[in-house]
Amino acid sequence: QVQLVESGGGLVQAGGSLRLSCAASGSPFRFKRMGWSRQAPGKERELVASIAAGGSTEYADSVKGRFTISRDNAKNTVYLQMNSLKAEDSAVYYCVVTQSIRDYWGQGTQVTVSS
C-alpha cells in the first residue's frame, strides 16, 4: 500500500525559508499528481501546490511567487520550497499523491512561522 513520509517542518521566523519533503512508496509507477495541502486551526484545508507527472504545476494564489513545488520521479519524492514565509503560512502541511482514482495522504508536518 502507498505510504508517505513527510519531513522538513519546524519553526522559522517570518521572511525565512523551509523545504518540505515527502517520500512516497508502494507504487511501481509514477503518481499522476503529487502535492501539498495545509490546514490551520479554524480554517478549511487548502491545496497549496501540486505537480503532475509531466512536470506541470499549480499554486494557490496565496503562495504564488514564494513557494516552489518539484518532484523527483526516480525517488518518488515531492518537495515544497517555501520562501519569504509569513505568519499566515503557519499550518499543518500534508503531502497528497494521486494514483489512479484515489488520493493518499500523509500524516502531516507542522510549520510555524513567528514574527
Side-chain angles (χ1 to χ4, degrees), residues 2-92:
V2 172
Q3 289 186 316
L4 306 176
V5 180
E6 299 140 313
S7 62
L11 175 65
V12 65
Q13 291 187 344
S17 299
L18 284 174
R19 190 192 193 202
L20 306 183
S21 298
C22 174
S25 63
S27 175
F29 305 104
R30 292 175 298 170
F31 295 98
K32 289 183 178 180
R33 184 164 287 274
M34 307 180 78
W36 295 90
S37 292
R38 68 186 181 187
Q39 188 165 28
K43 296 183 179 179
E44 299 254 346
R45 184 174 295 183
E46 174 188 32
L47 180 63
V48 175
S50 66
I51 182 167
S56 61
T57 59
E58 295 182 356
Y59 296 93
D61 288 341
S62 58
V63 306
K64 286 181 179 177
R66 300 188 298 118
F67 291 10
T68 302
I69 191 169
S70 61
R71 63 188 284 171
D72 185 334
N73 290 327
K75 296 181 178 179
N76 279 327
T77 300
V78 61
Y79 306 93
L80 185 68
Q81 179 66 46
M82 304 185 293
N83 298 326
S84 301
L85 283 162
K86 306 173 181 179
E88 51 262 43
D89 294 318
S90 296
V92 177

Side-chain angles (χ1 to χ4, degrees), residues 86-99:
K86 306 173 181 179
E88 51 262 43
D89 294 318
S90 296
V92 177
Y93 284 71
Y94 299 90
C95 180
V96 57
V97 303
T98 300
Q99 179 68 268

Side-chain angles (χ1 to χ4, degrees), residues 99-114:
Q99 179 68 268
S100 188
I101 61 172
R102 67 165 292 178
D103 294 338
Y104 299 86
W105 294 83
Q107 193 66 40
T109 184
Q110 176 70 234
V111 171
T112 302
V113 184
S114 63

